[in-house]
Amino acid sequence: MTTGGIEAVFLETHNWGKAAKFFQALGFELEFATDHNSGQLRNGDGPYVFIAEVPEDREPGMRIALKVADADAFRADPAVDVVTPFEETHYGTREMTVRDPDGRLWSLQAPGKN
């Protein structure tokens, strides 16, 4: 089974408010905000962007999640280095981490079992 394209981009920031305004100025709409300086934005039918604020002493990171329709049916090709198998997340999805040949980590995201 293959992936279905990009599901999401996860960004970390030092200032949630400024980051959200930046993406809104680029045409993204706020779908929801949390009470801990994070939220989700989307522009049309494309991937969503989830932004979370991190402390100043931590360098902001970025992660891209690829869409998987069914985690139970997904079988990674032997050429794919699986770092962590699919696991339930606290936000209702299942995620797997894989490593590409250059050492970058990628997330595969599937609907949760709920």
Side-chain angles (χ1 to χ4, degrees):
M1 176 179 270
T2 61
T3 63
I6 296 174
E7 173 78 359
V9 176
F10 294 94
L11 298 176
E12 294 176 329
T13 182
H14 289 144
N15 188 311
W16 153 246
K18 284 184 179 180
K21 286 179 184 172
F22 170 81
F23 279 94
Q24 287 172 314
L26 294 175
F28 284 75
E29 293 185 21
L30 182 65
E31 290 188 332
F32 67 84
T34 70
D35 59 358
H36 52 272
N37 296 327
S38 64
Q40 183 170 301
L41 300 102
R42 190 181 305 263
N43 189 338
D45 293 332
Y48 66 86
V49 176
F50 188 88
I51 304 171
E53 191 171 291
V54 296
E56 287 290 331
D57 63 348
R58 182 169 150 188
E59 184 172 339
M62 181 179 78
R63 181 169 58 95
I64 297 173
L66 302 177
K67 185 185 308 187
V68 173
D70 182 353
D72 292 328
F74 184 82
R75 300 290 176 257
D77 185 285
V80 175
D81 178 13
V82 176
V83 177
T84 57
F86 277 106
E87 298 174 336
E88 293 289 328
T89 67
H90 69 279
Y91 42 89
T93 64
R94 296 173 74 191
E95 289 188 358
M96 169 189 267
T97 303
V98 297
R99 185 182 339 267
D100 74 17
D102 294 307
R104 288 180 292 264
L105 297 179
W106 293 80
S107 294
L108 305 183
Q109 184 172 297
K113 287 187 175 186
N114 305 356

